[in-house]
DNA sequence: CCTTCCTGGTTTATCGTTAATCCGGCACGA
DNA sequence: TCGTGCCGGATTAACGATAAACCAGGAAGG
């Protein structure tokens, strides 16, 4: 590896002069600069960023650490990246998950400290892991869990989104809306928020939420939803609407319905959450709660940059608004039933 | 920031002893170890990875640098991550793209050298950028471009996949299969490979490929496909099958067909490429070419680890096999027409 | 009793870069 | 003529960790 001192020797100057030429932080005479540049060129020198980072005490890099790059977080990442770049920093992504050991690993404090700032999704994390993370580092939590106040936190208006979607289907004639992927217990997660919204919409419509309409899922995949809904269709309670906890789950539901010839939205209305790009195109178009990705991204970046700038203002917990995008999977008008 | 020397002072030992306790690389007496650990605990010391990396000359980190985290690369990333972790290293993702400046940025040699190894997708890159990358670093290219032999390279059997899908539809009664997202010119990219396979299937079936059936797209998004296919349906050549350059494009096509009441697969068969998870669930199930993600990932990781181990064996260019997954969007039997 | 070896630890030097300081000259104003 | 400044550049000293060499003291062996 060719280092700065090689260049310095080749050009007959000191290392500092090479550094100054390359960073432009101090004035260097024309002829000297030329000799340095020539040496750089001929030796093929490239600065060693690790060394620079050590010296500088920062990495100019921000990490987004999420359980999966798909769907929701993929969309968020796409929005955050340009904002971070605009701030002169660099964004990298890491996954939690894989196995438990490597989850600890990527959340280890030393690793977090390699970054000037971190967006951390707490979706799949235990409370213990989070409690081990020191408050000192600039960290913004993304996610739906109720979290200790120690960190800035951006979350969606999950309850409101679920309420919007469910109310919409109730308005359009549904009477028994399944909550697909709802949590039956009272765990403090995204799914319980969404379930609360589902229940609230029922009550607002003068209906009593029926717990048998809450269908839990082992995970929020299409496959799990496909299986579970198949079961319900075969020998579960009757229903005429589905609020899926997210769009991926909605696709699984769509497949189960199609297999049994159940027409959407005529017999069953369907709404999801996340408003994925593909949801717009999958016939008949999946009605979905839009998380307002741009706002989520902008808010998260604002909080993080504030923290990276050294602010010790009180932590903020921001809930960003959501909206309902109506498509063909729910009825445009109140149906006959 | 609390450093190792703080710990050493607190414990009344030398820095090396602290280091040895923490890394376990040398034996340390029981009472000394206890004092060190106590000091670590009380000061909240955490090792500085940047410094360790500088000293060690490696980062134990591998990067996957791709144009987007969606779809194909999202799937690949999911498969590569555990394999890299299993090798005791850490995987991070970066995006090329954003703007041109930051594209250069993330591909700059200094940045690449921060990683022990790099998977690089050349999808959106100019030849110039690639030529600037030195061969010395362990780099495995992922992608469909014809690339200089300087790098290890994993690519899909694109032509074969397109041929499989097209032949399948021709067998099942289609006579005029659209190539949606094919390149009309002879640019050396994935789309031209796929188009070649499309043409070959036609010839093998005794048909003359009709260039008017090749529909170029500005980009491979659902929206672009939706627009373009709408145009074709309104006043383009007649067709009874669609080979979409990827599944995302296929979704756009599906929407355009549905809007006009064209039945799939009865009137038009549809096949895509990538076999995304969702393609299995979107009614009627999208027939798709499966890229064999596991093989792609395993091959790429094998090549990179070889290179990281210092091998200077000749570069390998591996083409991994694909397979066709038949679903409801193509006909199970030859139809009446 | 002296050499040899081991144990548990310290000292020294270095990874590659850069902030801060220092220094020799030359120009310029008083 | 002598400060006073400035300019271009060199020296010094870190950033935080660790490999390698070194060393004190006791045990073992002859």
């Amino acid at each position: 590896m060719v280092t700065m001192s090689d260049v310095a020797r080749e050009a007959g100057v000191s290392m500092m002069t090479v550094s100054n030429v390359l960073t432009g932080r101090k004035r260097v005479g024309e002829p000297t600069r030329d000799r340095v540049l020539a040496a750089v060129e001929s030796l093929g020198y490239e600065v060693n960023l690790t060394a620079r980072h050590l010296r500088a005490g920062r990495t100019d890099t921000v990490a987004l650490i999420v359980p999966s790059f798909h769907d929701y977080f993929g969309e968020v990442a796409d929005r955050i990246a340009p904002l971070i770049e605009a701030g002169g920093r660099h964004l990298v992504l890491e996954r939690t998950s894989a196995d438990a050991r490597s989850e600890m690993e990527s959340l280890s404090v030393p690793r977090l400290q390699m970054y000037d700032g971190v967006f951390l999704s707490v979706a799949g994390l235990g409370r213990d892991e989070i409690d081990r993370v020191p408050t000192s580092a600039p960290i913004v939590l993304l996610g739906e869990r109720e979290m200790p106040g120690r960190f800035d936190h951006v979350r969606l208006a999950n309850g409101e989104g679920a309420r919007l979607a469910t109310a919409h289907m109730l308005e359009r004639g549904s009477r028994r809306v399944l909550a697909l992927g709802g949590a039956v217990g009272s765990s403090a997660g995204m799914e319980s928020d969404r379930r609360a919204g589902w229940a609230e919409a029922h009550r607002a419509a003068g209906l009593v939420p029926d717990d048998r309409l809450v269908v839990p899922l082992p995970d929020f995949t299409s496959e799990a939803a496909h299986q579970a809904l198949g079961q319900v269709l075969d020998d579960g309670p009757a229903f005429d609407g589905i609020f899926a906890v997210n769009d991926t789950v909605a696709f699984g539901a769509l497949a189960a319905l199609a297999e049994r010839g159940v027409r959407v939205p005529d017999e069953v209305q369907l709404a999801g959450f996340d408003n994925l790009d593909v949801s717009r195109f999958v016939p008949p178009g999946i009605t979905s709660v839009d998380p307002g990705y741009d706002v989520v991204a902008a808010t998260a970046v604002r909080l993080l940059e504030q923290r990276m700038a050294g602010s010790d203002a009180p932590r903020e917990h921001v809930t960003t608004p959501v909206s309902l995008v109506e498509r063909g999977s729910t009825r445009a008008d109140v149906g006959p039933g």
Side-chain angles (χ1 to χ4, degrees), chain A:
Chain A
M1 170 176 286
V2 36
T3 81
M4 201 173 241
S5 100
D6 297 328
V7 175
R9 192 178 324 108
E10 172 84 5
V13 298
S14 73
M15 281 172 55
M16 264 325 285
T17 300
V18 177
S19 177
N20 288 329
V21 167
L22 294 178
T23 64
R25 261 188 273 278
K26 287 186 75 178
R27 299 190 48 72
V28 175
E30 189 73 23
T32 314
R33 141 178 285 113
D34 290 346
R35 286 214 315 286
V36 168
L37 290 177
V40 164
E41 189 68 20
S42 81
L43 296 179
Y45 168 78
E46 300 281 352
V47 67
N48 178 320
L49 289 182
T50 302
R52 175 178 286 179
H53 291 164
L54 173 59
R55 179 66 239 231
R58 56 199 162 73
T59 58
D60 292 326
T61 301
V62 166
L64 171 62
I65 305 183
V66 295
S68 147
F69 306 132
H70 291 126
D71 304 344
Y72 179 74
F73 286 116
E75 300 292 334
V76 172
D78 279 345
R79 265 75 165 195
I80 285 183
L83 299 178
I84 291 296
E85 306 278 353
R89 272 177 275 247
H90 199 72
L91 182 74
V92 307
L93 270 70
E94 296 196 25
R95 292 204 327 175
T96 57
S97 78
D99 53 294
R101 192 194 55 69
S102 81
E103 166 142 19
M104 302 265 302
E105 177 64 14
S106 83
L107 280 183
S108 70
V109 178
R111 187 160 296 284
L112 292 179
Q113 288 181 341
M114 294 213 21
Y115 301 109
D116 290 354
V118 173
F119 299 105
L120 184 59
S121 160
V122 289
L125 272 59
R127 188 59 167 265
D128 303 348
E129 278 111 329
I130 295 161
D131 285 342
R132 287 205 335 274
V133 177
T135 316
S136 55
I139 292 180
V140 171
L141 297 184
L142 305 178
E144 314 314 337
R145 295 270 214 65
E146 198 52 60
M147 278 298 131
R150 303 164 47 223
F151 300 100
D152 292 307
H153 187 185
V154 181
R155 66 188 314 188
L156 297 178
N158 279 292
E160 171 65 4
R163 197 191 59 70
L164 277 174
T166 308
H168 168 67
M169 288 186 282
L170 293 176
E171 269 167 32
R172 302 303 162 96
S174 286
R175 278 299 161 268
R176 297 180 58 76
V177 176
L178 221 60
L180 187 56
V184 178
S186 62
S187 79
M190 164 257 277
E191 58 278 25
S192 69
D193 278 0
R194 294 190 186 173
R195 187 195 163 217
W198 165 87
E200 189 186 329
H202 275 80
R203 284 189 293 267
L207 300 170
V208 180
D210 181 350
D211 270 359
R212 289 173 309 162
L213 292 179
V214 177
V215 180
L217 293 175
D219 54 48
F220 295 165
T221 60
S222 301
E223 175 56 26
H226 177 240
Q227 291 259 352
L229 190 62
Q231 205 103 48
V232 174
L233 283 164
D234 289 344
D235 46 44
F239 63 91
D240 56 6
I242 302 175
F243 170 63
V245 73
N246 68 36
D247 282 4
T248 302
V249 161
F251 296 136
L254 199 59
L257 293 170
E259 279 165 15
R260 286 162 182 78
V262 179
R263 281 168 301 135
V264 174
D266 305 332
E267 298 176 71
V268 168
Q269 298 191 82
L270 173 64
F273 205 115
D274 280 358
N275 193 22
L276 301 182
D277 206 51
V278 59
S279 301
R280 184 171 141 216
F281 295 98
V282 169
I286 310 297
T287 291
S288 189
V289 178
D290 188 302
Y293 292 108
D294 289 326
V295 174
V296 170
T299 306
V301 170
R302 177 178 63 77
L303 292 178
L304 191 64
E305 300 214 306
Q306 223 165 270
R307 225 38 95 178
M308 290 191 294
S311 157
D312 56 354
R315 315 289 157 182
E316 291 186 42
H317 286 219
V318 182
T319 299
T320 59
V322 300
S323 58
L324 186 68
V325 179
E326 303 179 13
R327 300 205 179 92
S329 69
T330 53
R331 295 193 273 272
D333 303 301
V334 178

